[in-house]
Amino acid sequence: MHKRKGKKYLSYELVPMGETDRIKLLNAGYNKYSNATHWFVEIVPSFPRRTRPYGIEIYPTTNSGKTDVNIVLQVNGVKNPEDIIPLFNEIVEDMKNDSFWGTDYATLYD
C-alpha cells in the first residue's frame, strides 16, 4: 500500500521515525522535512547490476509514505545478493531502535 509508484522493489517497509533520529535529521539542516514522521526503506535493483545488483533506498516521509521533496538516503549496494536482506533487516532494526541517523553505512544524497 505504501510502495512508491512506478518503482520495482524486492522488499519495503514503513518505519516510524524515532524522536532522536528526527531531531538529528532536522539539526543536520533538513528543515524541509519537518513533517516527516516515518522512514520508507526499500530494496531496489541497482545500476549497473554487474557490480552491485541491489541497493537500499531510504526516504523521510509522512505516515502514509508520501513526501513533497525527494531526498534519498541511499545505502550502498552489496556485491553479493545474499547480503542485501541481512543489511535491510539491520537498517530496519536501527530505525525501530531510533538509532539509524549517523550510522556508518548511510550515505546522504540530495
Side-chain angles (χ1 to χ4, degrees):
M1 181 172 88
H2 300 290
K3 176 182 129 18
R4 298 177 76 79
K5 292 181 181 177
K7 293 199 73 175
K8 293 183 179 185
Y9 67 93
L10 298 176
S11 186
Y12 68 92
E13 192 156 341
L14 186 67
V15 181
M17 188 181 294
E19 190 61 27
T20 301
D21 279 342
R22 183 169 161 39
I23 290 169
K24 287 180 179 180
L25 175 73
L26 296 176
N27 285 344
Y30 294 96
N31 297 328
K32 56 189 168 188
Y33 297 100
S34 60
N35 294 331
T37 58
H38 287 69
W39 296 112
F40 183 86
V41 56
E42 62 187 350
I43 300 173
V44 296
S46 294
F47 296 99
R49 294 175 193 233
R50 288 183 214 133
T51 57
R52 300 194 187 274
Y54 301 105
I56 297 174
E57 293 182 359
I58 301 162
Y59 303 85
T61 68
T62 64
N63 62 347
S64 64
K66 296 182 180 181
T67 182
D68 292 335
V69 184
N70 269 340
I71 184 174
V72 178
L73 292 167
Q74 183 174 355
V75 177
N76 293 333
V78 294
K79 288 184 181 181
N80 300 317
E82 62 273 3
D83 294 337
I84 197 71
I85 298 295
L87 179 58
F88 178 80
N89 291 335
E90 179 182 352
I91 291 168
V92 170
E93 282 305 308
D94 284 345
M95 289 173 171
K96 288 179 179 178
N97 292 323
D98 197 16
S99 60
F100 168 71
W101 193 265
T103 54
D104 60 351
Y105 51 71
T107 305
L108 187 61
Y109 294 92
D110 271 327

